[in-house]
Amino acid sequence: VVKALCLHIAHDCNLACRYCFAGEGEYKGDRALMSLEVAKKSLAFLVANSGLRRNLEVDFFGGEPLMAMETVKATVDYARAHEEEWGKHFRFTMTTNGVLLSDENIKYFNENMDNCVLSLDGRKEVNDRNRLTVNGKGSYDLIVPKFLKLIAQRDKNKDYYVRGTFTHENLDFSQDVLSIADLGVDSISVE
């Protein structure tokens, strides 16, 4: 029985993280965004292989999924429109680096995503050492205000967490956890 899908909706990214396992989001392949047709086929696969399970999960991942925001929205709409017919309930998660977060996207996330995973590595100097924009600048000052806005507007019944990555360069990552907590974030994962 299949209960969840991780849709690599964007094989592209707008950051150039030094440690990226996905080759800056393109997974050593062509940079591309998932079409709605492929997303629909993915949902059909999930539904067909979910057996009697009612609750299903779909995680929008990348690269940076906000680069394919129109496909994300259309996929969510399609799934919601068919939940009753299929006898299923979908729970959606979005993982984002935050660069493309806007007021409109924050509102959409908070209305439609049951969970938001926000990528931040902790202290400014730690984050900016590895999580670089394509022009080589750190991303901390660009993304933290957006993350804090999303969290402040988030319904307390919906999940979120800030997920950071630690490397051999910040083995004192407990300081990064404390730094994120000091921002007012209460749901943190450092991997």
Side-chain angles (χ1 to χ4, degrees), residues 120-125 127-128 131 137-145 179-180 183:
L120 174 70
D121 286 353
R123 295 165 286 180
K124 177 177 169 57
E125 62 272 15
N127 185 84
D128 287 355
R131 298 185 64 76
K137 297 191 189 261
S139 59
Y140 186 95
D141 291 335
L142 176 64
I143 62 174
V144 167
S179 172
I180 295 169
L183 294 172

Side-chain angles (χ1 to χ4, degrees), residues 84-152:
E84 190 174 320
E85 170 191 343
W86 295 336
K88 306 294 180 182
H89 173 74
F90 290 92
R91 177 178 159 84
F92 293 102
T93 299
M94 172 77 78
T95 300
T96 182
N97 64 29
V99 171
L100 296 176
L101 271 179
S102 63
D103 288 345
E104 179 184 338
N105 288 339
I106 288 171
K107 184 177 186 309
Y108 184 83
F109 274 29
N110 285 338
E111 291 173 355
N112 295 282
M113 295 296 147
D114 298 283
N115 191 15
C116 292
V117 181
L118 312 170
S119 299
L120 174 70
D121 286 353
R123 295 165 286 180
K124 177 177 169 57
E125 62 272 15
V126 169
N127 185 84
D128 287 355
R129 184 181 310 129
N130 288 313
R131 298 185 64 76
L132 303 172
T133 62
V134 292
N135 64 4
K137 297 191 189 261
S139 59
Y140 186 95
D141 291 335
L142 176 64
I143 62 174
V144 167
K146 296 174 184 185
F147 287 166
L148 295 179
K149 184 181 247 186
L150 183 147
I151 293 166

Side-chain angles (χ1 to χ4, degrees), residues 33-64:
L33 302 178
M34 183 181 285
S35 69
L36 178 57
E37 191 60 35
V38 170
K40 286 179 177 180
K41 287 179 182 179
S42 299
L43 291 178
F45 171 84
L46 177 60
V47 169
N49 291 281
S50 62
L52 298 176
R53 185 175 186 90
R54 176 166 159 54
N55 295 311
L56 303 177
E57 299 176 17
V58 177
D59 181 14
F60 296 105
F61 197 72
E64 174 49 44

Side-chain angles (χ1 to χ4, degrees), residues 19-39:
Y19 56 61
C20 184
F21 67 90
E24 297 178 17
E26 46 87 58
Y27 294 85
K28 300 190 179 26
D30 293 333
R31 292 183 182 273
L33 302 178
M34 183 181 285
S35 69
L36 178 57
E37 191 60 35
V38 170

